[in-house]
Structures are given as C-alpha cells and as structure tokens.
Amino acid sequence: MYFEILGSELPDATTIVLSSGLGGSAHFWKAQLPALTSSYRVIVYDQNGTGRSPADLPSGYSIQSMATELLALLDSIEVKHCHFVGHALGGLVGLQIAVQRPALLTSLVLINAWSSPNEHSLRCFRVRKSLLDNSPPQMYLQAQALFLYPPDWIMNNIDMLEEEEQHMLASFPNKQNLLARIHALSEFDIEASLATVTTPTLVFANKDDMLVPWQRSEVLAGLLPNAELAIYEYGGHASTVTTPTVFNEKLLAFLST
C-alpha cells in the first residue's frame, strides 16, 4: 500500500497513524497535518484498492482484512507503538486492531465511528450502492458530499467542493472495490469484544452527522472500559474537514494527556 511518513525525524518521536474513511485516501487528513507534523511522526496511507494503492479486492473482504493489511505495513516499517486516529471506516479498522494487536496502540481516536450496524446507516449505504450501479460517477460524488458535509458548509464552499469533485472524477475508484468496502463496513460488528479493549480512547461525534447517528458513538463509548466521549453540535460526518480547528484542538489535548 502507498504510504508516507511525515513530520518529526527525531528517533524517539511519537508515531501517529491516520486512517481514512470509505474513500481511503491519505489526502483526507490534509487539515490535520500542520497541527501534527511539528511534534509527531505521522503515517498516512491510501487503503488497499483506493487511490495510489491499486488492487482488486478479494471476495469476503472485511474490516479484519483492512486491519491485517495495515498491521503488515506497520510491521514492515518497524512501528512498535502508535496513536491511532480513524475516521468512520478507519475507526473500525482501529477497533479491530485494538482487539487483534492491543499492545501496538498507545491510544485510539474514533471519529463518527460505530461498533455494530444500524438501520439508518445501512439505508445510506444502500443508496450509495444503488448510485454506483445505476448512476454516473458524478451523481455518486455529489451524493457523497450530502452525506459528509453540513448544508451550509456545502453552500459556502461550493467552488472548492466542485473542483475537488472534478479531480476525484478523473481518478474515480474501481466500482467493485467500492462495493466490497461498503459491504465490509456494513457487516462490521465488534460489540461483543469491546469490553476487552482497554486502550485509552477518544470517541468524537457530531450531532448533525447525516450518515452515522451520533448515538452510535454514545453506545461505543459506553461499552469501552477506558473511553472519553466528545460530542459537538456542528461539523457533519467529516468534521475533520469542516471544523478542523475544533477537532485538532481536541485531538492534541487528548494526545497530550
């Protein structure tokens, strides 16, 4: 998989791994990098079958598959301990690693994530799958913005958003890979194992998230033995993009504790 190691080059620098949501791209974290790279060694990557990590995802591809791939990458560059920050699907990967390899994680940050399927999000995923099957890629990308961002943010950032959508259209991902990734996150259920996850965890949620009800973060935090829940009124599903200052300040405060 394509990856980059950014920030501090000090041999004892603390490592942070950033794992993106369904889109899978390292570019998702561009609003966080200036806040993190001055003090931390930061690893970003394009998830398998997305962006600069071309692959044909196999049958039965799962969140556990994604976690195993990332663990192989981190082992190959000799990462022994790290803070893990995951958005949505990336948070599910972090939860799987917390169960599968708990000694690796110093802390875990879960942004608008969940621990088991819910009917609202499943409806949203079915809509996205239908758009992939029955509509041009432009419509999938326009609908994606509706799931990710608050209405006023879209209105106020429309020029930037449309430019970004044109860029994404030029490198639109493999349809079968997208369907496999949507299926993987739709099937993920780790609630029975959450009581074993003792990693210090920040569960970050936004009440205006259209894709994942914020109450799923409340459930997640309630089932984790060592979790802090931070809920914000505004930001949508991709609050790392829409309210980066709020998110970055909370993240840095958590990492420093």
Side-chain angles (χ1 to χ4, degrees):
M1 292 188 296
Y2 176 88
F3 71 96
E4 297 178 43
I5 302 176
L6 308 169
S8 176
E9 296 181 359
L10 295 174
D12 59 346
T14 300
T15 298
I16 299 178
V17 176
L18 304 179
S19 186
S20 305
L22 180 60
S25 172
H27 292 308
F28 179 78
W29 301 102
K30 62 185 179 183
Q32 280 63 61
L33 294 180
L36 295 174
T37 52
S38 59
S39 302
Y40 296 95
R41 178 187 297 115
V42 181
I43 297 173
V44 293
Y45 71 108
D46 286 356
Q47 295 169 10
N48 210 23
T50 75
R52 294 159 289 185
S53 299
D56 292 324
L57 300 180
S59 175
Y61 194 66
S62 66
I63 298 297
Q64 184 169 356
S65 305
M66 299 179 204
T68 299
E69 291 164 351
L70 179 56
L71 286 170
L73 169 62
L74 297 177
D75 288 343
S76 74
I77 55 177
E78 300 183 340
V79 173
K80 305 298 184 185
H81 303 283
C82 65
H83 298 283
F84 189 99
V85 181
H87 174 257
L89 178 148
L92 312 191
V93 174
L95 280 169
Q96 184 65 47
I97 289 174
V99 170
Q100 196 167 325
R101 185 91 68 84
L104 176 68
L105 300 184
T106 306
S107 74
L108 182 60
V109 179
L110 307 173
I111 309 153
N112 290 322
W114 59 95
S115 51
S116 64
N118 74 84
E119 285 305 317
H120 172 78
S121 297
L122 290 176
R123 282 184 170 226
C124 295
F125 296 141
R126 285 195 290 268
V127 168
R128 294 173 100 164
K129 289 165 68 174
S130 179
L131 286 167
L132 281 170
D133 281 332
N134 302 300
S135 302
Q138 296 96 321
M139 290 300 100
Y140 179 89
L141 291 174
Q142 289 201 16
Q144 177 173 271
L146 302 179
F147 290 124
L148 291 178
Y149 309 123
D152 64 318
W153 190 92
I154 292 176
M155 190 169 54
N156 293 330
N157 293 273
I158 191 63
D159 291 340
M160 181 190 72
L161 184 58
E162 289 182 346
E163 181 179 344
E164 184 178 87
E165 287 173 348
Q166 286 303 309
H167 175 75
M168 294 170 68
L169 189 61
S171 56
F172 195 75
N174 176 290
K175 172 184 167 182
Q176 293 307 314
N177 282 355
L178 258 179
L179 289 172
R181 287 167 59 76
I182 292 172
H183 178 76
L185 58 82
S186 298
E187 294 290 311
F188 182 76
D189 189 339
I190 205 168
E191 281 192 5
S193 300
L194 291 185
T196 69
V197 178
T198 58
T199 305
T201 302
L202 171 64
V203 180
F204 189 102
N206 298 88
K207 285 191 173 182
D208 61 344
D209 183 348
M210 180 183 168
L211 182 61
V212 182
W214 64 269
Q215 291 90 347
R216 302 313 300 163
S217 290
E218 195 172 45
V219 169
L220 182 54
L223 293 173
L224 288 166
N226 195 12
E228 171 189 349
L229 178 62
I231 300 177
Y232 294 83
E233 295 291 330
Y234 179 81
H237 187 61
S239 54
T240 51
V241 176
T242 60
T243 57
T245 300
V246 172
F247 174 77
N248 292 348
E249 287 178 353
K250 182 61 182 177
L251 174 62
L252 290 171
F254 175 74
L255 293 175
S256 67
T257 57

